[in-house]
C-alpha cells in the first residue's frame, strides 16, 4: 500500500509538472440567429443562478453556452489531454502530446493558443497566538469585527443568512470545530477540487492528493467568514451559505540545509474553472485570496503593463463574473516590499473587481499590502480591512492563531458585504454585485480622499446597509496637513481617539445637533457643530493649530 501511494505521488507530480496551454476557439457552433442561447444556458445553470440573473434583469448570452463539443472532441483525437473547459473564455486548457501530428494554428476553429500561467508564492508563516483581550461572543476576533461594524450588524440580527459566498483557495479542512455549525446546518452547499478533479477539498491521499499542506491557507481564510465558536472566534458572516473551490496546489520546497518550506503553485486555468463553477451554482459573492504577478519560467508571464483590467485571463474571467451579478473580491496582494514587482496582482486589476488591501489594528497600512494604481491609472485597492495580525483558525494546532496578508482582509470584506446584502434584501432591495461594491466604497471611511494605499478605506457595514449614519472625522495639523494620530475627539458625550490615519468614526442614529471637539497635545482644541438629518453621512476635517 505504501509503495502504491508513493508511486501515485510521483505519477501525479509528473502529470501536474507538465506545461499546459490554452486553446481558444472561434465560436460555439451556434446557429447564426443565436436562437438557442436562452434554452441552452438554462440547462447549464442551477435554479439559484437562474433566479439571480432574472432578479437582476441580466440576460443570458453566449458566455453562458458551453464550449462546442465537436471542437473539444477534435482536440482530444489529436492526443491532447483536456484539463479544464471555460465557457466564458470559449477555451480549453490542455496538456499537449509529446509529439504533435498537426499544428493547432492550421485548425479553422482555433483562434489562438497561449501557455497557462503559473505563479509560485511562499506560504505566510502562522504566528503563535499572543495574549489578547477577549470580549464575550466575539472572543479573539473582536477587533476585526468592530473595524467593519460587524459587531453592530450581528446585534441587529444580520449574520449573513441567505447569502451564498463562493471561495477560491488552496484547500479547506472542514472537520474542525469552527465549522461544525456550517456543516450541521447544511449551509456548506457545494465543494470541488479543480486540482485533482474530485469533491474532496482537504487532503485526501487515497484519491491521489500529494499536497498535505494544501488545506491550511483555505481553512484560515474560511474561518474569517464562517467560524462559529462563541467566546473564542467568530467569522464576520457565520450564517452565510458557502461553496468551496480548491484551485491551488501547495508544494514542499527543500531549502539550503535541508529545511522544508512550502509554497502555493497557482495555475490560472484552475481559477477560471472555479469561478465559472461558482457562477453556475448561483453564488452572490466570490472571495479569492490569491493573485498572479510574475510567473515561473515555464509559464506565461505578465508585466505591469498588462494590469489594465483587460489582459490577464483571470481578470477577464473575474469581470465576466461581475457582469453576471456577482460581487467579486480579490486580495490586492502582498508585494509592496517585493522590489521585482511592487504592485497589485491580477485579477485585482479588474475594473469590476473589488481589490482588498490590509491594515493593522491601528488602521495603519500593513507594510506588505500591495499598492495601486493599475497600469491604466485607476485607484487600487478599492477597500481595506485587518490583515496584519488577523485572527484565524489554525488547523494544525486546532486553535485560534494570528496570520498576516491581504489573504485575510479580503474574506473579511467579502463577509462584510454579505451582511450588507442580507440587510438590503430584508428591506426589499435587489442589488447587483457591482452596486453592492460601489455602495460599500461610497460609505467607507476614506471615500472623501481615496488613494493607492487604502483605496476608499475600511468599509462600515451599518452605514452601507442604511442602519446607522456616521460622522467621519479627520484631524490634521493645519500647517503641515499631516494627520494627527491619537488625538481626542469628543462627539457630544462620547470620547473617541483618532487612529493611525488621524481618523475616527462615530455612528449616529438620532437627528439633531452634534458638537465635535478635537484636541491633541501641542495644539489648540477646536469645535465644529453639525445639524444631522437622517440618511446623511458627514465627513469632517478638523484642522488644529
Amino acid at each position: 500500500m505504501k509503495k502504491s501511494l508513493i508511486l501515485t505521488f510521483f505519477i501525479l507530480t509528473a502529470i501536474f509538472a507538465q506545461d499546459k496551454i490554452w486553446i481558444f476557439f472561434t465560436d460555439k457552433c451556434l446557429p447564426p440567429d443565436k436562437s438557442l442561447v436562452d434554452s441552452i444556458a438554462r440547462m447549464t445553470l442551477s435554479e439559484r443562478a437562474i433566479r439571480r440573473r432574472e432578479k437582476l434583469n441580466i440576460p443570458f448570452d453566449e458566455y453562458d453556452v458551453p464550449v462546442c463539443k465537436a471542437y473539444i472532441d477534435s482536440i482530444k483525437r489529436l492526443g491532447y489531454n483536456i484539463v479544464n473547459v471555460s465557457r466564458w473564455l470559449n477555451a480549453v486548457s490542455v496538456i499537449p502530446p509529446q509529439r504533435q501530428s498537426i499544428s493547432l494554428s492550421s485548425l479553422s476553429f482555433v483562434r489562438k493558443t497561449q501557455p497557462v500561467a503559473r505563479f509560485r508564492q511562499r506560504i505566510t508563516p502562522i504566528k503563535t497566538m499572543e495574549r489578547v483581550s477577549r470580549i464575550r461572543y466575539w472572543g479573539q476576533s473582536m477587533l476585526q469585527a468592530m473595524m467593519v461594524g460587524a459587531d453592530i450588524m450581528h446585534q441587529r440580527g444580520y449574520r449573513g443568512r441567505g447569502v451564498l459566498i463562493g471561495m477560491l483557495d488552496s484547500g479547506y479542512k472542514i472537520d474542525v470545530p469552527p465549522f461544525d455549525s456550517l456543516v450541521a446546518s447544511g449551509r456548506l452547499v457545494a465543494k470541488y477540487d479543480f486540482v485533482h478533479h474530485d469533491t474532496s477539498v482537504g487532503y485526501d491521499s487515497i484519491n491521489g492528493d500529494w499536497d498535505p499542506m494544501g488545506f491550511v491557507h483555505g481553512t484560515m481564510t474560511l474561518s474569517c467568514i464562517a467560524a462559529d465558536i462563541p467566546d473564542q472566534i467568530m467569522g464576520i458572516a457565520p450564517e452565510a451559505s458557502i461553496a468551496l473551490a480548491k484551485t491551488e496546489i501547495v508544494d514542499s520546497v527543500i531549502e539550503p540545509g535541508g529545511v522544508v518550506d512550502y509554497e502555493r503553485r497557482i495555475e490560472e486555468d484552475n481559477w477560471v474553472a472555479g469561478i465559472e463553477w461558482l457562477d453556475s451554482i448561483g453564488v452572490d459573492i466570490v472571495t479569492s485570496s490569491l493573485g498572479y504577478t510574475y510567473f515561473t519560467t515555464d509559464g506565461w508571464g505578465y508585466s505591469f503593463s498588462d494590469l489594465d483590467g483587460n489582459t490577464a485571463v483571470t481578470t477577464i474571467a473575474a469581470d465576466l463574473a461581475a457582469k453576471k451579478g456577482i460581487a467579486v473580491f480579490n486580495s490586492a496582494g502582498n508585494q509592496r516590499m517585493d522590489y521585482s514587482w511592487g504592485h497589485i496582482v491580477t485579477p485585482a486589476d479588474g475594473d469590476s473587481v473589488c481589490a482588498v488591501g490590509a491594515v493593522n489594528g491601528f488602521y495603519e497600512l500593513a507594510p506588505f499590502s500591495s499598492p495601486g494604481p493599475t497600469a491604466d491609472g485607476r485607484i487600487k485597492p478599492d477597500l481595506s480591512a485587518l490583515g496584519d495580525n488577523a485572527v484565524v483558525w489554525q488547523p494544525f494546532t486546532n486553535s485560534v492563531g494570528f496570520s498576516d496578508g491581504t489573504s485575510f482582509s479580503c474574506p473579511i470584506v467579502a463577509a462584510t458585504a454579505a451582511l450588507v446584502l442580507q440587510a438590503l434584501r430584508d428591506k426589499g432591495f435587489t442589488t447587483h454585485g457591482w452596486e453592492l461594491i460601489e455602495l460599500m466604497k461610497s460609505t467607507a471611511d476614506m471615500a472623501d480622499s481615496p488613494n493607492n494605499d487604502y483605496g476608499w478605506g475600511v468599509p462600515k457595514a451599518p452605514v452601507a446597509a442604511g442602519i446607522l449614519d456616521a460622522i467621519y472625522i479627520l484631524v490634521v495639523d493645519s500647517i503641515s496637513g499631516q494627520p494627527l494620530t491619537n488625538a481626542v475627539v469628543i462627539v457630544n458625550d462620547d470620547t473617541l481617539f483618532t487612529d493611525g490615519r488621524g481618523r475616527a468614526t462615530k455612528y449616529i442614529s438620532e437627528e439633531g445637533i452634534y458638537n465635535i471637539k478635537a484636541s491633541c497635545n501641542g495644539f489648540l482644541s477646536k469645535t465644529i457643530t453639525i445639524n444631522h438629518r437622517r440618511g446623511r453621512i458627514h465627513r469632517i476635517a478638523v484642522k488644529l493649530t
Side-chain angles (χ1 to χ4, degrees):
M1 179 65 177
K2 184 176 181 181
K3 289 183 178 179
S4 175
L5 287 176
I6 293 173
L7 180 60
T8 301
F9 171 87
F10 282 112
I11 291 173
L12 286 168
T13 301
I15 290 174
F16 284 94
Q18 295 182 59
D19 292 343
K20 292 186 286 186
I21 64 170
W22 285 109
I23 302 175
F24 296 87
F25 300 121
T26 55
D27 61 87
K28 288 193 171 179
C29 305
L30 291 170
D33 62 359
K34 307 295 191 296
S35 58
L36 299 178
V37 167
D38 189 276
S39 58
I40 294 175
R42 288 178 179 274
M43 289 189 292
T44 64
L45 299 173
S46 68
E47 284 298 320
R48 184 181 178 112
I50 292 171
R51 287 198 305 271
R52 188 190 69 227
R53 303 283 182 88
E54 291 175 342
K55 285 181 180 179
L56 298 175
N57 295 316
I58 298 173
F60 300 106
D61 55 29
E62 282 193 59
Y63 291 112
D64 300 311
V65 175
V67 176
C68 180
K69 185 176 183 300
Y71 295 165
I72 296 176
D73 290 342
S74 295
I75 296 299
K76 286 181 178 178
R77 284 194 294 270
L78 294 174
Y80 289 84
N81 180 23
I82 307 295
V83 181
N84 285 304
V85 180
S86 170
R87 68 181 188 277
W88 288 353
L89 302 178
N90 193 22
V92 291
S93 65
V94 301
I95 297 174
Q98 291 185 346
R99 294 182 179 179
Q100 300 181 35
S101 59
I102 187 172
S103 172
L104 291 173
S105 61
S106 67
L107 301 176
S108 61
F109 55 84
V110 173
R111 180 168 61 87
K112 69 172 183 176
T113 64
Q114 71 183 45
V116 170
R118 293 177 179 175
F119 172 56
R120 292 185 179 274
Q121 183 181 64
R122 289 300 168 91
I123 298 294
T124 302
I126 301 167
K127 299 180 179 180
T128 303
M129 172 56 78
E130 302 167 3
R131 185 179 297 276
V132 296
S133 61
R134 296 188 181 194
I135 298 180
R136 290 193 62 186
Y137 175 74
W138 285 102
Q140 309 283 14
S141 47
M142 184 67 193
L143 179 59
Q144 59 204 45
M146 289 182 65
M147 290 175 73
V148 295
D151 55 326
I152 295 172
M153 297 298 285
H154 283 215
Q155 291 169 6
R156 300 295 180 96
Y158 299 111
R159 291 161 47 93
R161 188 182 303 113
V163 178
L164 178 54
I165 301 175
M167 299 191 70
L168 300 160
D169 215 298
S170 62
Y172 316 85
K173 187 173 178 60
I174 305 304
D175 56 342
V176 290
F179 308 138
D180 285 348
S181 64
L182 173 68
V183 175
S185 64
R187 288 182 289 105
L188 179 57
V189 300
K191 51 190 175 71
Y192 194 79
D193 181 346
F194 288 89
V195 177
H196 306 98
H197 295 282
D198 57 43
T199 58
S200 174
V201 294
Y203 176 56
D204 183 5
S205 60
I206 295 176
N207 285 329
D209 292 15
W210 75 92
D211 52 345
M213 285 285 290
F215 62 79
V216 175
H217 188 267
T219 303
M220 293 192 294
T221 59
L222 177 58
S223 70
C224 294
I225 298 173
D228 192 354
I229 308 180
D231 303 337
Q232 290 189 47
I233 180 173
M234 293 296 297
I236 301 297
E239 291 184 2
S241 297
I242 302 292
L244 301 175
K246 176 177 177 176
T247 59
E248 303 175 40
I249 306 163
V250 175
D251 288 336
S252 59
V253 180
I254 306 299
E255 298 284 9
V259 177
V260 178
D261 199 355
Y262 296 90
E263 66 180 8
R264 288 187 289 163
R265 179 153 59 89
I266 308 164
E267 298 184 348
E268 63 182 355
D269 61 326
N270 295 337
W271 195 94
V272 172
I275 198 168
E276 289 188 22
W277 173 72
L278 292 173
D279 166 62
S280 72
I281 63 178
V283 300
D284 303 299
I285 293 168
V286 164
T287 175
S288 165
S289 290
L290 62 85
Y292 300 76
T293 53
Y294 48 81
F295 291 79
T296 55
T297 55
D298 58 350
W300 179 264
Y302 293 118
S303 64
F304 175 66
S305 63
D306 294 321
L307 269 70
D308 58 3
N310 299 305
T311 299
V313 166
T314 53
T315 302
I316 294 169
D319 280 348
L320 284 169
K323 289 180 181 178
K324 304 302 180 184
I326 300 170
V328 181
F329 297 84
N330 203 93
S331 299
N334 304 327
Q335 277 73 35
R336 177 176 290 270
M337 303 303 291
D338 182 348
Y339 299 110
S340 61
W341 184 258
H343 307 288
I344 60 166
V345 298
T346 66
D349 63 310
D351 57 14
S352 300
V353 176
C354 182
V356 183
V359 297
N360 64 20
F362 298 101
Y363 288 78
E364 296 166 329
L365 185 68
F368 50 79
S369 185
S370 290
T374 60
D376 57 330
R378 287 174 289 114
I379 291 177
K380 289 285 180 174
D382 296 278
L383 292 168
S384 298
L386 186 68
D388 188 343
N389 269 4
V391 175
V392 299
W393 186 263
Q394 214 290 64
F396 274 151
T397 61
N398 220 28
S399 62
V400 181
F402 284 123
S403 196
D404 295 341
T406 57
S407 287
F408 309 109
S409 57
C410 182
I412 287 172
V413 171
T416 303
L419 305 184
V420 175
L421 184 57
Q422 181 192 358
L424 293 174
R425 286 176 173 174
D426 282 359
K427 294 179 179 181
F429 292 106
T430 300
T431 308
H432 191 287
W434 182 241
E435 292 174 334
L436 177 62
I437 291 171
E438 285 297 296
L439 176 62
M440 293 177 66
K441 289 168 62 176
S442 66
T443 56
D445 65 1
M446 287 182 61
D448 54 337
S449 55
N451 60 44
N452 286 307
D453 291 322
Y454 298 93
W456 278 253
V458 176
K460 304 297 181 182
V463 185
I467 293 171
L468 294 173
D469 300 324
I471 305 173
Y472 293 126
I473 304 143
L474 171 64
V475 182
V476 299
D477 182 330
S478 64
I479 297 175
S480 68
Q482 292 298 307
L484 298 176
T485 63
N486 209 35
V488 179
V489 179
I490 301 175
V491 182
N492 288 355
D493 295 327
D494 291 336
T495 301
L496 312 171
F497 295 90
T498 57
D499 58 32
R501 306 164 301 164
R503 294 177 178 270
T505 298
K506 170 61 179 174
Y507 294 115
I508 54 177
S509 59
E510 300 294 328
E511 294 188 341
I513 301 298
Y514 287 84
N515 296 306
I516 301 138
K517 180 181 179 181
S519 60
C520 188
N521 288 337
F523 294 84
L524 297 175
S525 63
K526 186 174 183 178
T527 300
I528 294 176
T529 300
I530 63 170
N531 187 3
H532 175 64
R533 293 291 178 264
R534 187 72 177 95
R536 291 190 61 188
I537 297 174
H538 304 271
R539 300 183 185 275
I540 297 170
V542 184
K543 299 179 180 180
L544 299 185
T545 55

